[in-house]
Amino acid sequence: MSPRAERLAAELEMVNEELARYLEQLTPEEWLSPTRADDDELRPVGVVALHVAEAHLNINARVMALASGGEVPPRRPELFAERNARHAAENPRPDQAATIDLLRRNGGIAAARVRQLTDAELDRPGEVSGEPATAETEMQKRQLNHVRSHLESIRGG
């Protein structure tokens, strides 16, 4: 474990917990109220929260593949809008407590995995969908920013 890995893991835990605590205080009406999401479409807050919770492990799979020098699952931004719309249609009213539990569980799994990385693993060069990346840059650009951007949109920022 490296101090950088510890810092990244702690940062993920912190922002994930900030989102979880914010979601806990929402009323049922606020949970179902629309918010602008990453594709600029309006989706219910609860749907976006479930999206973040479920995405933790997918994003983290890329982080860990970069760290190990393995095959990195591609990002497919051109499919995001379609996948997000399908996800919203399939999960129109996610359970608030279960979603928050999943957010914490998957965020904790992702943080625990990152916490075990060495500096060499964080710095190993690789690619994500043809773009240069490392485990650390994928953690910062994708994992952390994913949570932060959705927290901001849910708060109405």
Side-chain angles (χ1 to χ4, degrees), residues 38 47 60 66 149:
D38 50 356
V47 171
N60 191 253
L66 286 161
S149 69

Side-chain angles (χ1 to χ4, degrees), residues 48-156:
V48 175
L50 180 60
H51 161 79
V52 174
E54 292 176 345
H56 270 314
L57 299 183
N58 293 331
I59 297 169
N60 191 253
R62 287 196 305 274
V63 171
M64 300 312 291
L66 286 161
S68 70
E71 187 174 333
V72 180
R75 289 183 73 242
R76 304 289 306 268
E78 69 276 11
L79 301 178
F80 287 177
E82 177 188 328
R83 282 194 317 229
N84 290 340
R86 186 173 55 247
H87 180 260
E90 292 169 355
N91 302 282
R93 300 174 70 87
D95 180 86
Q96 189 169 355
T99 299
I100 294 167
D101 287 347
L102 183 65
L103 179 72
R104 285 187 168 123
R105 183 171 51 255
N106 287 351
I109 290 167
R113 290 175 181 167
V114 169
R115 189 169 269 120
Q116 300 306 311
L117 298 178
T118 65
D119 283 342
E121 290 169 322
L122 287 171
D123 294 336
R124 182 172 282 129
E127 286 187 356
V128 175
S129 299
E131 296 179 17
T134 65
E136 183 172 24
T137 62
E138 192 70 6
M139 184 67 186
Q140 291 169 339
K141 287 174 147 180
R142 309 285 185 232
Q143 190 101 54
L144 291 167
N145 283 345
H146 190 246
V147 181
R148 284 188 186 115
S149 69
H150 284 302
L151 173 58
E152 184 179 327
S153 72
I154 288 169
R155 283 183 169 155

